[in-house]
Every structure is written in structure tokens, then in C-alpha cells.
Amino acid sequence: MKYRKDSMSTETETHKLSNSEVEEVLRSVIQRLIDGQEGFQKIGEHLKDETLRRYFAAESLQRAHFRGALEEVLHQEGVHDAKEKGTVGGAVRRTWGDIKAHLGGTDHTLLETAESGEDSAKKAYREALEKELPLPIKQLLDTQYAHIQTSHDYVKAARDDRK
């Protein structure tokens, strides 16, 4: 997708979103994607169920793909320092997942941690989609959000199956 330099600005009756505001929205989502990428990888390493391990590895890669797509949008808009780190909350969840795993946590307890991370990702996407973003960016986020919701539901169902 190619965007014009002025394409990140949108205007509504009440507020014109500046390029920097759109950048801020995208960076927030990217941070949650980093959290998800790292969280799926870390938790997946500790899961006992092989099917879940493969699913978590695939979801980690998917988060990296989503992140790359959003970083590409920023790069096309002239933002060359689009490299982000995850959030403090995501780091805490990953550490908590590691502690649970090292203390003999079951797949159920690890899936609870993963679901919490997915809740955070869903919230970041919902907040981003509430903004008046340019249509191509909104469509990209909407497509990614649909996948995030499906993943959340899968993780939740897997957790509930292991009570």
C-alpha cells in the first residue's frame, strides 16, 4: 500500500488528526504487537500441549507480520525511527508467565496470562479504531483486529478446556 505524505491527516467536524497523532496511535498498537509477539513466543516455549506450542509460535510470527505492516506505513510516511519496544505491562505479563512456568504452572495458568495479553491487544486496537484515521490505515487495523479477536477467543477456549 502506498500512502501520500498528507494521507495520515484526516479531518472530521470536530478534530483534525495530525500526522503526529496518527503516528502516536500506530506506535501504541505496535507496542502491543511487540508484547504479543514476545508473549506468544515465551509462553509457547513453556506449554506442554504440542498443538498449543505450534499455535503460539505461529501467532508470534503473525504479530511480527502485523508489526511490520504498521512500521511500513510509518516508514512510507517518512517516520524512519519506527522501531518500538513493548509496554511495561507486557514485560510484567511475560515475567509473570515465566515465573508461573518455572513454578510448575499448568497450561491453564499460562493460557490465563496469554489471554490477559490478548485483552490488552484488543483494547489497543479498539482505541485506535475509534480514531478518525485515514481509510487505508483503518482498513489495515480492522483486518488485524479481526485476527486478534479470533486469537483471543481461541486462547480463551483453550484455557477453559484445561480447567
Side-chain angles (χ1 to χ4, degrees):
M1 267 184 235
K2 182 69 179 152
Y3 303 96
R4 293 188 334 265
K5 185 68 178 165
D6 64 347
S7 68
M8 285 179 48
S9 292
T10 62
E11 195 169 330
T12 65
E13 293 176 12
T14 58
H15 179 69
K16 179 180 178 184
L17 229 54
S18 69
N19 285 1
S20 63
E21 289 171 316
V22 174
E23 179 183 339
E24 183 180 324
V25 168
L26 293 180
R27 285 183 185 273
S28 176
V29 173
I30 288 168
Q31 288 175 334
R32 293 327 178 289
L33 289 169
I34 292 168
D35 289 343
Q37 178 185 353
E38 294 175 0
F40 273 113
Q41 179 197 5
K42 286 263 194 204
I43 290 173
E45 291 169 358
H46 298 294
L47 291 168
K48 292 163 185 63
D49 182 285
E50 187 59 34
T51 301
L52 285 175
R53 289 174 69 98
R54 284 192 302 271
Y55 179 81
F56 272 57
E59 283 303 304
S60 177
L61 291 174
Q62 185 63 56
R63 294 312 187 279
H65 174 74
F66 287 170
R67 172 187 174 189
L70 296 179
E71 286 177 345
E72 177 63 22
V73 169
L74 290 175
H75 183 74
Q76 288 174 351
E77 296 301 324
V79 179
H80 299 292
D81 64 338
K83 300 300 179 195
E84 291 290 328
K85 296 180 181 179
T87 65
V88 172
V92 168
R93 269 190 296 283
R94 286 189 299 279
T95 301
W96 183 236
D98 279 345
I99 291 169
K100 286 180 179 180
H102 291 304
L103 294 176
T106 63
D107 282 0
H108 175 79
T109 60
L110 295 172
L111 291 167
E112 285 178 328
T113 303
E115 185 191 0
S116 173
E118 288 296 84
D119 286 339
S120 178
K122 283 174 49 178
K123 181 179 183 227
Y125 272 90
R126 272 194 314 270
E127 289 173 355
L129 288 166
E130 289 172 359
K131 307 286 185 189
E132 292 296 327
L133 297 166
L135 185 59
I137 295 173
K138 193 173 221 63
Q139 289 171 330
L140 176 61
L141 288 174
D142 196 47
T143 300
Q144 291 180 357
Y145 180 52
H147 181 89
I148 300 286
Q149 288 178 302
T150 301
S151 174
H152 171 273
D153 294 347
Y154 180 87
V155 170
K156 183 177 179 184
R159 180 210 64 198
D160 290 347
D161 286 347
R162 285 158 181 77
K163 281 188 177 176

